[in-house]
Amino acid sequence: MSRAEKGTYAGPNKWLLTNVELTRFEGDRAVLQHLARATWNSVLTPDIMSVLKIVPERMSAVNLRAYIDHLRENRQKATRYEIAFWNKLLYPLVAIALMVLAIPFAVQSARAGGVGVKIVLGIVIGLLFHFVGRLVSNVGLLNDWPPIVAAGLPLAVVALVAAEGLRRAERR
């Protein structure tokens, strides 16, 4: 088992490590060795390592799907990427649900409130949806909810509120 303070890519399949702690297991005892420098041969490249820096929310749906499949093939946890994938797929439905939510405000008479108030209220609702959606995604990730639930719950709530708003507007 090796642990290094720093690693620098030195060419094809080669890393230069500094301040290395090398632990070898010999029978029922462990031998610890400190090395100032060491070479590590690995198929890992900086390109492969750079994937760890990518934020899933900034990946395309196609790339997310491919990366999710890769993680599953290697028996790694892909929940964060699956939630980002479902968020991307559901985003058009979110836009429609938020537009439907705006209809009851648009059909009110001008005397019910100024246009400025409606605009500010719309901005606040949009920001609230964004932050609550992020919160639900993170809570779903922490609690190991199914990704479709973590991504779809905010949409379901907005759709229900929009339907109720339309029902009330129709009664007026």
Side-chain angles (χ1 to χ4, degrees):
M1 183 170 65
S2 301
R3 182 180 170 276
E5 184 178 296
K6 184 178 178 183
T8 306
Y9 190 65
N13 300 335
K14 190 180 219 179
W15 290 82
L16 296 177
L17 307 176
T18 56
N19 292 338
V20 181
E21 287 181 1
L22 183 62
T23 306
R24 287 195 175 97
F25 297 97
E26 298 172 355
D28 41 332
R29 66 184 189 113
V31 178
L32 181 64
Q33 182 181 9
H34 292 279
L35 303 170
R37 292 181 183 267
T39 303
W40 179 45
N41 295 322
S42 174
V43 295
L44 289 177
T45 64
D47 291 337
I48 293 172
M49 301 291 275
S50 69
V51 170
L52 299 174
K53 293 181 180 179
I54 296 174
V55 178
E57 291 77 17
R58 295 192 182 190
M59 294 173 72
S60 70
V62 173
N63 288 343
L64 278 169
R65 184 79 248 157
Y67 193 61
I68 289 167
D69 291 340
H70 167 74
L71 290 174
R72 285 182 179 165
E73 286 171 7
N74 291 293
R75 295 187 180 131
Q76 295 177 8
K77 192 167 182 144
T79 309
R80 181 177 179 204
Y81 297 92
E82 290 172 332
I83 291 172
F85 176 76
W86 282 108
N87 278 330
K88 287 201 183 290
L89 289 184
L90 295 175
Y91 194 75
L93 298 176
V94 168
I96 293 168
L98 288 173
M99 286 189 289
V100 170
L101 182 63
I103 292 172
F105 297 102
V107 297
Q108 288 180 350
S109 69
R111 288 186 261 159
V115 175
V117 171
K118 292 178 186 177
I119 290 173
V120 169
L121 185 60
I123 291 169
V124 168
I125 289 172
L127 287 172
L128 186 65
F129 174 80
H130 172 74
F131 290 123
V132 168
R134 296 292 299 239
L135 177 69
V136 169
S137 291
N138 288 324
V139 168
L141 184 61
L142 289 173
N143 291 322
D144 214 20
W145 293 351
I148 186 69
V149 172
L153 188 61
L155 170 61
V157 170
V158 166
L160 288 173
V161 171
E164 178 61 20
L166 282 177
R167 191 182 67 75
R168 287 185 183 203
E170 191 176 305
R171 282 194 309 172
R172 285 188 227 148

